[in-house]
Amino acid sequence: MTDTALVTLREHLLQALENHPGNETRRLFHGRGRCWPGLEQITVDWLSGIVLVMLFREPSPALRPLLMELLETPQWQASGARGLLLQHRYVHGSESEWLAGEPQAQWPIVEDGLHYLLDLGSKQNSGLFLDMRLGRQWVREQAAGKRVLNLFAYTCGFSIAAIAGGAAHVVNLDMARAALSRGRDNHRLNGHDLSRVEFLGHELFKSWGKVRKSGPYDLVIIDPPSFQKGSFALTQDYAKILRRLPELLTEHGTVLACVNDPDIGPDFLVEGMAAEAPQLRFVERLDNPPEFPDISPESDLKALVFQL
């Protein structure tokens, strides 16, 4: 990060704040896509009125005062922002500090008209990955009348979208039961009928019987972390999921398979599916939101659709 890069950041943010999405939620600046030299380690999100700035590398002592001056500019208040939160992702525990506004431990947001509750300032991830916005939109458009399996469900963002789109039933599986509990909260925020939603707080590879019991599924969503200590390593374990898909799907079932590791390209999924479940053909790769530009399409989020 340089002083010249900070000038670029200021110009970009002032323009973004003038056109912020009001009560909706969007990324305002995505330096992680490496489109702006010197700003690769900073992102800025508009969370329905809260501005979240994430630093993925510590700025130099000389630049920190300039960065803080930029972040504390009066334009934040002029935009109608309710608070400004700075998160140090390079620090163990992702230490956060409120630079403006009343600290909020939890904060309700809106994305495409759907409601989610985020944790602010206490966890590395707040509860919704904004780069998957178009993936959730696609699920919502596809879900009517379908039985859906949502693997690595986290706080159930895909499930919220599926039920909003008219899904008959959704099964959410994640070993983090606290995340699934937040998923229930999110469904309640949207007034959803919880009798159409299951929550399985189990490790996937020890729970195939439970997963099959609620199937078969018209749509299976696979959106794993790149690494989950003791339970999942993407390059080793993704294939184990792919080879199980034919037994989980209905006759013309669909799979949305995702990878968000910058070092792994889309061929990982295409070739893996061909090897482990050749009955499934590749259909399309979903677009990523325009607010997440990336210098390389191989590095950004991969969300690929396959069908029996």
Side-chain angles (χ1 to χ4, degrees), residues 15-59:
Q15 181 178 4
L17 284 167
E18 286 181 3
N19 300 287
H20 71 73
N23 194 44
E24 282 277 331
T25 293
R26 293 291 186 275
R27 177 144 294 182
L28 297 182
F29 182 79
H30 184 62
R32 301 280 281 171
R34 298 168 295 164
C35 296
W36 293 275
L39 296 171
E40 295 86 352
Q41 299 300 322
I42 186 168
T43 65
V44 184
D45 294 334
W46 177 270
L47 305 176
S48 297
I50 297 291
V51 177
L52 171 62
V53 180
M54 287 183 280
L55 291 177
F56 291 82
R57 183 182 300 159
E58 185 175 11

Side-chain angles (χ1 to χ4, degrees), residues 157-216:
F158 281 119
S159 182
I160 303 300
I163 293 295
H169 195 79
V170 181
V171 175
N172 295 291
L173 185 141
D174 200 293
M175 65 183 296
R177 299 193 177 195
L180 291 180
S181 179
R182 174 52 51 83
R184 287 189 184 89
D185 296 337
N186 287 335
H187 274 292
R188 292 188 184 103
L189 276 177
N190 289 279
H192 290 165
D193 178 3
L194 286 177
S195 69
R196 294 159 58 193
V197 188
E198 276 185 72
F199 303 91
L200 301 179
H202 305 290
E203 183 181 335
L204 173 59
F205 298 117
K206 298 178 180 178
S207 307
W208 288 116
K210 294 181 176 66
V211 171
R212 284 196 305 270
K213 184 178 179 180
S214 296

Side-chain angles (χ1 to χ4, degrees), residues 43-291:
T43 65
V44 184
D45 294 334
W46 177 270
L47 305 176
S48 297
I50 297 291
V51 177
L52 171 62
V53 180
M54 287 183 280
L55 291 177
F56 291 82
R57 183 182 300 159
E58 185 175 11
S60 68
L63 285 176
R64 180 176 171 84
L66 295 176
L67 175 62
M68 298 300 288
E69 181 181 351
L70 165 64
L71 296 181
E72 293 173 345
T73 181
Q75 276 80 2
W76 300 109
Q77 286 75 21
S79 71
R82 298 279 300 278
L84 175 59
L85 177 63
L86 176 62
Q87 185 180 36
H88 303 275
R89 289 288 292 263
Y90 56 89
V91 176
H92 179 70
S94 297
E95 174 186 321
S96 299
E97 55 182 314
W98 287 89
L99 302 182
E102 188 72 24
Q104 305 287 337
Q106 297 180 341
W107 184 253
I109 67 164
V110 179
E111 181 196 73
D112 293 338
L114 297 177
H115 300 266
Y116 305 87
L117 189 62
L118 301 187
D119 294 303
L120 298 182
S122 60
K123 300 178 181 178
Q124 177 173 297
N125 297 313
S126 60
L128 194 72
F129 295 107
L130 303 189
D131 57 350
M132 193 56 85
R133 178 171 65 86
L134 297 186
R136 287 185 286 271
Q137 187 179 96
W138 181 87
V139 167
R140 188 176 185 177
E141 293 167 352
Q142 302 293 320
K146 294 183 177 179
R147 295 185 65 82
V148 179
L149 173 62
N150 183 20
L151 298 177
F152 306 97
Y154 188 40
T155 58
C156 305
F158 281 119
S159 182
I160 303 300
I163 293 295
H169 195 79
V170 181
V171 175
N172 295 291
L173 185 141
D174 200 293
M175 65 183 296
R177 299 193 177 195
L180 291 180
S181 179
R182 174 52 51 83
R184 287 189 184 89
D185 296 337
N186 287 335
H187 274 292
R188 292 188 184 103
L189 276 177
N190 289 279
H192 290 165
D193 178 3
L194 286 177
S195 69
R196 294 159 58 193
V197 188
E198 276 185 72
F199 303 91
L200 301 179
H202 305 290
E203 183 181 335
L204 173 59
F205 298 117
K206 298 178 180 178
S207 307
W208 288 116
K210 294 181 176 66
V211 171
R212 284 196 305 270
K213 184 178 179 180
S214 296
Y217 305 94
D218 303 292
L219 173 61
V220 175
I221 301 162
I222 313 167
D223 185 22
S226 297
F227 179 78
Q228 197 169 52
K229 186 176 181 180
S231 65
F232 187 82
L234 191 146
T235 54
Q236 300 173 29
D237 295 327
Y238 214 123
K240 300 176 186 177
I241 303 173
L242 298 182
R243 70 177 63 122
R244 292 273 192 165
L245 290 173
E247 68 189 69
L248 298 176
L249 290 163
T250 56
E251 183 179 0
H252 300 292
T254 302
V255 174
L256 177 62
C258 309
V259 169
N260 197 7
D261 186 323
D263 297 323
I264 297 178
D267 287 348
F268 171 82
L269 291 173
V270 175
E271 295 172 1
M273 192 71 79
E276 304 295 342
Q279 307 96 314
L280 283 143
R281 64 179 178 87
F282 171 63
V283 177
E284 64 174 325
R285 178 180 175 181
L286 302 185
D287 291 335
N288 287 320
E291 61 268 26

